[in-house]
Amino acid sequence: MKIGELAKKTGVSQRMLRYYEQEGLLKPNRTRSGYRDYNQQSEKLVAHIRHLSEAGIKLSSIKLMLPCLSGGDEAIFVGCPLVKETLKTELIKLDQKLVELAVSRNAIATFLQTALPDSDHSETQ
């Protein structure tokens, strides 16, 4: 299948598919005229990449994990200790972000509690 069809089937833009290729995540075959030619396995692979990316995992980490990805419909990783370490690192990063978000949320909640009501605010202007 051509890149446009893969983009439609996966919901990933053609530009992003080219980027995946540039980053070494996808390796499509080429037709004699030079067009990218994707197969069913490419469709599953793009779905896995998209799912992992939406989970917050960076493409550089996904690239390390792909050799351990099983060929099924679900992202299952087998036989690679690197995957476990990569996922642990990603989980630590997410936990740090959650702490930072909680601090930001508490600050905004405090600002909101001390904000003047709309009617009082207009009187001070």
Side-chain angles (χ1 to χ4, degrees), residues 36-49:
R36 290 170 178 86
D37 185 28
Y38 299 95
N39 57 26
Q40 293 292 357
Q41 195 62 25
S42 298
E43 186 179 344
K44 288 180 182 180
L45 181 59
V46 169
H48 292 316
I49 293 169

Side-chain angles (χ1 to χ4, degrees), residues 31-91:
T31 64
R32 288 184 190 185
S33 55
Y35 289 104
R36 290 170 178 86
D37 185 28
Y38 299 95
N39 57 26
Q40 293 292 357
Q41 195 62 25
S42 298
E43 186 179 344
K44 288 180 182 180
L45 181 59
V46 169
H48 292 316
I49 293 169
R50 182 178 181 190
H51 186 78
L52 292 165
S53 182
E54 287 173 349
I57 301 174
K58 294 186 177 196
L59 292 182
S60 58
S61 295
I62 293 171
K63 184 177 180 179
L64 294 174
M65 296 166 59
L66 286 182
C68 305
L69 185 64
S70 76
D73 289 334
E74 293 187 30
I76 299 173
F77 300 95
V78 292
C80 290
L82 178 62
V83 170
K84 196 168 189 174
E85 289 305 312
T86 301
L87 290 173
K88 281 182 184 179
T89 300
E90 292 297 328
L91 195 56

